[in-house]
Amino acid sequence: MSRRREDSSSNAPRHGERKPFTRPNTAHRSAQEKLSRRLSAGDPRSDQHPQRRIPVGLSTSSVFPAGVEEGFRLAQKIGYDGMEVMVSYAKDSQDASALRAYSERYEQPIFSLHAPTLFLLQGLWGTDPWVKIHRTVELAQKLGAPTVVAHPPFRWQGKYARGFVEGVAQIEADSGIAIAVENMYPWRLGVRELLNYLPDHDPTDEDYAHVTVDLSHAATAGDDALEMIERLGDRLTHLHLADGSGRTTKDEHLPPGEANQPCAEVLRRLANRGWEGSVLLEVTTSRDEERRERTLRQCLEFARHHLGHHLEEEGPKGEGEVTVREQDAGSQVPGEPGVDVGSATA
């Protein structure tokens, strides 16, 4: 378990403290200024010494409004290693048989499912939020997907929010599925921010065994993604790769490299430490099919380069040396050569 932030200004409720409804925008501004100073100073990128071939998957949300099957088709065509399925109102996103057929037809293993905990999906499967988590976990079990991604509760969700940390731990223990709780962001209202998530929009302070870091969400929140991945250590299970400027109240989900998040450095550090999770691309793309495919190719090339995949084929091996691919050969998915998701639930 990684260390918590030693920050007296943390807004997570502790020892019966009542979390305020709002806070000034100063936290967001100071984080943006710190990031700007670091980038202006020419923050160097880490040298590449990858210890593991980290797989790069595609979220079906990256092809919206195209359908789930289109996500699988493009992932195979472009060369992604697997998929994250956003469970939504689309019937096939909820159907184990349909998803299994897509996975087999397009040779794309399903790394994870994203539970329908988004604000716009509150009506899916009724109004009980625990039902959404349980049904997504059941779907993951049927598909053999090791991970379910979930957002932290909204503060108005009462008992669900108050018991969320303990409830997630219990479901994980009962099901064997990792529930990787995702970082979110306050809603900014003029000079103040609405703290709309409980226990907090930043899950790194809580006792979750598994966490997803979304780089676009970190940008909107003004959080330092590099500090987040260091704090989490082995609890980091999933990375949603996207970029953001942090200069808007919107969750931008730009292609990596197009804004100011340290996307390249995050990937390099994870590869260098032999991180046992998966990178999932979650970006907004054009409705134009050609532009969408071009963007998804660009994103995959960015991810593979900074994860050091190109180094696998470079140079002769010295005596006693092995390539990253050979190191991981024992944990590849049967029938999927070169794709390692052996411990995606780390």
Side-chain angles (χ1 to χ4, degrees):
M1 195 71 72
S2 64
R3 66 182 183 279
R4 296 180 184 275
R5 285 182 293 177
E6 295 179 359
D7 182 356
S8 59
S9 65
S10 170
N11 286 282
R14 297 275 174 247
H15 308 298
E17 297 175 26
R18 185 178 182 83
K19 181 180 176 182
F21 284 94
T22 67
R23 71 179 182 188
N25 270 338
T26 52
H28 180 268
R29 287 200 304 270
S30 63
Q32 288 298 311
E33 289 166 1
K34 177 182 175 183
L35 178 60
S36 254
R37 286 195 299 270
R38 189 174 66 204
L39 295 175
S40 297
D43 193 26
R45 288 179 179 169
S46 297
D47 292 334
Q48 291 188 288
H49 302 288
Q51 302 301 305
R52 173 179 179 257
R53 187 182 190 277
I54 296 173
V56 183
L58 178 66
S59 169
T60 57
S61 64
S62 296
V63 303
F64 182 83
V68 175
E69 184 174 6
E70 177 66 3
F72 278 85
R73 186 190 71 80
L74 278 174
Q76 181 193 48
K77 181 179 180 181
I78 296 170
Y80 281 84
D81 295 319
M83 298 297 298
E84 176 169 291
V85 176
M86 173 69 73
V87 179
S88 66
Y89 290 110
K91 293 299 183 184
D92 54 355
S93 74
Q94 311 167 26
D95 186 329
S97 297
L99 293 174
R100 189 179 299 109
Y102 296 158
S103 178
E104 293 172 356
R105 182 180 311 149
Y106 298 106
E107 300 178 303
Q108 292 291 307
I110 298 174
F111 293 164
S112 52
L113 302 176
H114 196 309
T117 49
L118 286 71
F119 182 76
L120 296 177
L121 295 175
Q122 290 188 83
L124 181 61
W125 293 340
T127 58
D128 185 340
W130 281 123
V131 170
K132 301 176 191 296
I133 301 290
H134 280 290
R135 289 190 61 171
T136 308
V137 166
E138 290 169 2
L139 185 59
Q141 290 174 316
K142 292 177 182 177
L143 293 167
T147 305
V148 165
V149 176
H151 291 179
F154 294 108
R155 67 181 307 144
W156 59 78
Q157 289 181 301
K159 185 178 180 181
Y160 170 69
R162 291 191 297 273
F164 185 71
V165 178
E166 295 78 10
V168 161
Q170 187 61 56
I171 294 172
E172 288 186 320
D174 293 342
S175 68
I177 300 294
I179 301 177
V181 180
E182 185 172 4
N183 64 306
M184 294 302 291
Y185 48 88
W187 292 353
R188 293 204 297 282
L189 307 170
V191 297
R192 296 193 69 80
E193 295 178 345
L194 175 64
L195 302 177
N196 48 317
Y197 293 99
L198 283 178
D200 199 355
H201 73 273
D202 178 356
T204 63
D205 278 331
E206 303 303 325
D207 290 326
Y208 300 118
H210 305 93
V211 173
T212 296
V213 168
D214 183 301
L215 299 182
S216 177
H217 295 174
T220 306
D223 292 330
D224 187 322
L226 289 173
E227 290 184 358
M228 293 179 78
I229 66 170
E230 294 304 321
R231 284 200 302 272
L232 285 168
D234 291 341
R235 293 196 297 147
L236 177 65
T237 303
H238 238 43
L239 181 76
H240 278 168
L241 180 60
D243 214 334
S245 69
R247 291 189 292 268
T248 172
T249 57
K250 295 180 180 178
D251 178 18
E252 296 171 286
H253 282 280
L254 300 172
E258 292 196 1
N260 64 19
Q261 289 304 288
C263 300
E265 180 64 11
V266 166
L267 294 174
R268 287 171 179 240
R269 290 192 188 185
L270 292 177
N272 286 351
R273 83 184 195 197
W275 178 58
E276 294 292 319
S278 300
V279 171
L280 276 299
L281 185 80
E282 191 178 79
V283 298
T284 300
T285 56
S286 171
R287 291 172 180 261
D288 179 82
E289 292 181 7
E290 290 185 6
R291 290 180 61 190
R292 177 190 296 133
E293 182 175 332
R294 189 162 59 246
T295 297
L296 295 180
R297 286 187 183 278
Q298 165 198 325
C299 293
L300 181 58
E301 289 171 4
F302 181 99
R304 290 203 187 285
H305 176 76
H306 291 291
L307 289 170
H309 289 191
H310 61 292
L311 300 177
E312 298 171 17
E313 309 301 331
E314 290 183 4
K317 292 182 293 182
E319 185 176 354
E321 293 181 356
V322 293
T323 64
V324 176
R325 187 183 295 274
E326 288 172 333
Q327 286 177 330
D328 271 356
S331 58
Q332 290 173 2
V333 177
E336 297 290 339
V339 179
D340 174 15
V341 293
S343 49
T345 59

